[in-house]
């Protein structure tokens, strides 16, 4: 029910963060907290995601505390707790959530998360009438934010989620650094990059100088794998320093000769409360296939949590504050079940607020890389993707030292 005169009512808003951490979470919390406080809300933080609303609750008062939004991770902590029954936890814990919302007198809930966390929030809104507002976050960048990217007059559906800009910058930097080791040892380095079922994050390696990439969106069938290995050989042999960095998404489906089928590689058989397994290990398999078939020295290297950790980068700082402004809008209008998003990629910060909208929190998950962004025939991200990335990262960043010393020939 809509209440009159919501402004400066002194009601209570609670923020929670769920799922994997990102460098932009504290920035999101701080931006939302500051704006909600201006509106007169008392602001609480729920610890460990949905878990903080189970049992006796684990709730902090964020109202008047100093906060460093540039510091990565989440001061509220996070978990992959699912309040709804799942295979792993069949118990329905929604009554505990409702009881705690009542006990702590929480009027509005802002859930900062990906598809799982926001999906649960949306369900609470639909089934229990809890006023919720979603706030996007993911390093995988796989939420359907419907952010349009104009490239050479063509509108491409892109994604822009807080967390991704910082993480993709980390991937660019990591890739840029590893080049010197690949060059020094005349090696191929197969770099494994998080991202689950989407290749958005792997794309950051392009601006770090990686020339070939594999993404989960395209299955590496027997034929494709053979062609890929030929391409690897050709690229390596023609590279000036006999080195190559290949970026591979953790969720790549790779043909396994022994099994006679393509499959993803799991780090463990365990699944979380939302039913997701953990990927990990594909780079080792690809590196040994390269060595065994091409006889070129190849090493696997995982970027693991490197992209997810560390400080919030400037682009994310801007993005989170712009989206938090939109949260104010939703609060004032009492429009719940919505999530603020950027509706367009824009070059200038001043234009962001005019290109911000909100979408329904439901049905936002698993947006793969747009087909315009990757070319499977060349195992490469396209120019359109580089243009998308340039909006976020500016220019590519990798070391390049083109030495050309003359060879000494002994006089016999
Ligand atoms: O969804 C974010 C993400 O970092 C994925 O890229 C990755 O597959 C997963 O989380 C790893 O999760 P965990 O925190 O369980 O290691």
């Amino acid at each position: 029910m809509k209440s009159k005169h919501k402004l400066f009512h002194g009601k209570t808003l609670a923020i929670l963060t769920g799922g994997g951490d990102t460098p932009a979470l504290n920035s999101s919390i701080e931006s939302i907290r500051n704006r909600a406080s201006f509106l007169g809300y008392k602001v609480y933080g729920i610890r460990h995601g949905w878990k903080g609303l189970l049992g006796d609750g684990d709730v902090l008062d964020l109202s008047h505390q100093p906060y460093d939004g540039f510091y990565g991770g989440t001061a509220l902590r996070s978990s992959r707790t699912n309040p709804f029954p799942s295979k792993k936890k069949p118990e329905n814990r929604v009554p505990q959530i409702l009881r705690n919302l009542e006990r702590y007198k929480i009027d509005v809930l802002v859930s900062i998360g990906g598809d799982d966390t926001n999906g649960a929030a949306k369900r609470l809104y639909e089934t229990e009438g809890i006023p919720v507002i979603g706030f996007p976050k993911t390093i995988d960048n796989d939420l359907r934010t419907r952010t349009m990217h104009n490239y050479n007059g063509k509108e491409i559906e892109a994604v822009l989620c807080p967390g991704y800009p910082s993480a993709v910058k980390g991937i660019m930097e990591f890739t840029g650094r590893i080049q010197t080791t690949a060059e020094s040892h005349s090696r191929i380095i197969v770099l494994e990059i998080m991202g689950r079922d989407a290749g958005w994050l792997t794309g950051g390696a392009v601006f770090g100088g990686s020339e070939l990439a594999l993404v989960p969106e395209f299955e590496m069938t027997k034929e494709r794998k053979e062609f890929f290995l030929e391409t690897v050989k050709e690229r390596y042999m023609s590279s000036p320093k006999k080195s190559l960095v290949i970026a591979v998404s953790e969720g790549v489906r790779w043909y396994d000769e022994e099994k006679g089928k393509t499959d993803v590689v799991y780090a463990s058989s365990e699944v979380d409360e939302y039913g997701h397994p953990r990927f990990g290990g594909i780079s080792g398999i690809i590196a040994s296939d390269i060595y065994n078939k091409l006889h070129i020295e190849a090493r696997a290297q995982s970027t693991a949590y490197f992209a997810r950790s560390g400080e919030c980068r400037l682009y994310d700082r801007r993005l989170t504050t712009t989206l938090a402004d939109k949260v104010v809008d939703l609060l004032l209008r009492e429009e719940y079940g919505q999530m603020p998003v950027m509706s367009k990629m824009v070059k200038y910060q001043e234009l962001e607020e005019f290109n911000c909208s909100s979408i329904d929190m439901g049905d936002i998950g698993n947006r793969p890389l747009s087909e315009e962004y990757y070319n499977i025939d060349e195992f490469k991200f396209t120019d359109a993707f580089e243009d998308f990335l340039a909006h976020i990262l500016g220019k590519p960043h990798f070391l390049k030292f083109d030495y050309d010393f003359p060879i000494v020939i002994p006089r016999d």
Side-chain angles (χ1 to χ4, degrees), residues 20 80 138-140 194-196 250 278-279 305 308:
R80 297 190 192 275
T138 166
I139 61 158
D140 303 340
M194 283 189 171
R196 277 209 203 274
E250 61 176 1
R278 216 154 30 85
F279 297 144
Y305 290 129
R308 239 165 83 166

Side-chain angles (χ1 to χ4, degrees), residues 178-392:
I178 210 97
Q179 297 286 353
T180 57
T181 296
E183 289 171 3
S184 302
H185 295 273
S186 296
R187 268 179 202 158
I188 292 178
I189 295 185
V190 183
L191 207 57
E192 182 166 329
I193 298 165
M194 283 189 171
R196 277 209 203 274
D197 303 306
W200 296 95
L201 189 58
T202 298
V206 176
F207 271 18
S210 160
E211 288 185 32
L212 293 177
L214 297 179
V215 294
E217 285 82 353
F218 293 89
E219 197 175 3
M220 291 302 287
T221 56
K222 187 169 185 284
E223 296 70 30
R224 274 199 190 133
K225 176 173 161 179
E226 279 163 11
F227 182 50
F228 173 72
L229 290 173
E230 276 170 35
T231 311
V232 167
K233 187 170 186 179
E234 190 271 314
R235 280 302 165 78
Y236 175 82
M237 298 312 284
S238 61
S239 66
K241 294 175 189 162
K242 296 276 175 302
S243 66
L244 194 62
V245 176
I246 305 170
V248 300
S249 302
E250 61 176 1
V252 160
R253 289 165 292 158
W254 183 250
Y255 182 74
D256 180 325
E257 269 105 24
E258 272 177 31
K259 290 185 192 155
K261 61 172 188 154
T262 58
D263 220 346
V264 289
V265 181
Y266 297 105
S268 90
S269 52
E270 212 187 304
V271 293
D272 66 19
E273 291 183 22
Y274 292 90
H276 303 301
R278 216 154 30 85
F279 297 144
I282 183 72
S283 54
I285 290 176
I286 296 181
S288 48
D289 270 348
I290 289 175
Y291 180 71
N292 292 334
K293 292 184 196 306
L294 306 179
H295 310 294
I296 300 172
E297 205 180 358
R299 293 278 199 278
Q301 170 78 54
S302 175
T303 58
Y305 290 129
F306 185 84
R308 239 165 83 166
S309 42
E311 83 272 19
C312 178
R313 310 300 182 107
L314 222 50
Y315 193 101
D316 254 333
R317 187 73 175 145
R318 267 171 38 192
L319 185 60
T320 50
T321 51
T322 305
L323 295 180
D325 284 339
K326 191 73 194 169
V327 170
V328 169
D329 227 40
L330 294 171
L331 284 170
L332 288 174
R333 291 169 200 268
E334 295 182 49
E335 278 179 27
Y336 302 119
Q338 295 280 307
M339 183 172 90
V341 289
M342 290 298 301
S343 44
K344 198 172 166 187
M345 301 290 302
V346 285
K347 280 216 166 71
Y348 307 102
Q349 182 183 3
E350 294 74 17
L351 298 179
E352 278 180 355
E353 63 169 300
F354 305 108
N355 289 286
C356 195
S357 61
S358 66
I359 59 169
D360 193 290
M361 281 167 74
D363 188 28
I364 50 168
N366 302 327
R367 166 74 196 173
L369 203 57
S370 308
E371 58 181 32
E372 292 88 347
Y373 286 155
Y374 182 80
N375 181 346
I376 182 65
D377 298 324
E378 295 184 16
F379 308 107
K380 271 181 88 161
F381 283 85
T382 60
D383 292 348
F385 182 80
E386 290 198 25
D387 187 73
F388 161 77
L389 211 53
H391 273 80
I392 301 170

Side-chain angles (χ1 to χ4, degrees), residues 94-216:
V94 171
Q96 295 182 49
I97 303 268
L98 299 179
R99 194 171 59 88
N100 277 318
L101 289 174
E102 182 63 38
R103 279 179 68 224
Y104 288 97
K105 307 263 171 286
I106 294 167
D107 301 293
V108 185
L109 200 57
V110 178
S111 63
I112 306 176
D115 186 29
D116 297 332
T117 308
N118 285 322
K122 180 75 197 294
R123 245 174 113 179
L124 280 176
Y125 170 66
E126 281 173 350
T127 58
E128 311 293 337
I130 304 299
V132 299
I133 291 173
F135 200 85
K137 79 87 224 184
T138 166
I139 61 158
D140 303 340
N141 209 41
D142 58 352
L143 294 186
R144 209 170 281 271
T145 58
R146 300 178 178 88
T147 308
M148 298 316 290
H149 165 215
N150 187 294
Y151 177 66
N152 284 347
K154 192 175 177 197
E155 291 289 317
I156 301 176
E157 188 186 333
V159 174
L160 190 54
C161 283
Y164 175 70
S166 302
V168 84
K169 190 162 188 178
I171 291 300
M172 171 179 77
E173 291 169 352
F174 194 108
T175 315
R177 288 181 70 97
I178 210 97
Q179 297 286 353
T180 57
T181 296
E183 289 171 3
S184 302
H185 295 273
S186 296
R187 268 179 202 158
I188 292 178
I189 295 185
V190 183
L191 207 57
E192 182 166 329
I193 298 165
M194 283 189 171
R196 277 209 203 274
D197 303 306
W200 296 95
L201 189 58
T202 298
V206 176
F207 271 18
S210 160
E211 288 185 32
L212 293 177
L214 297 179
V215 294

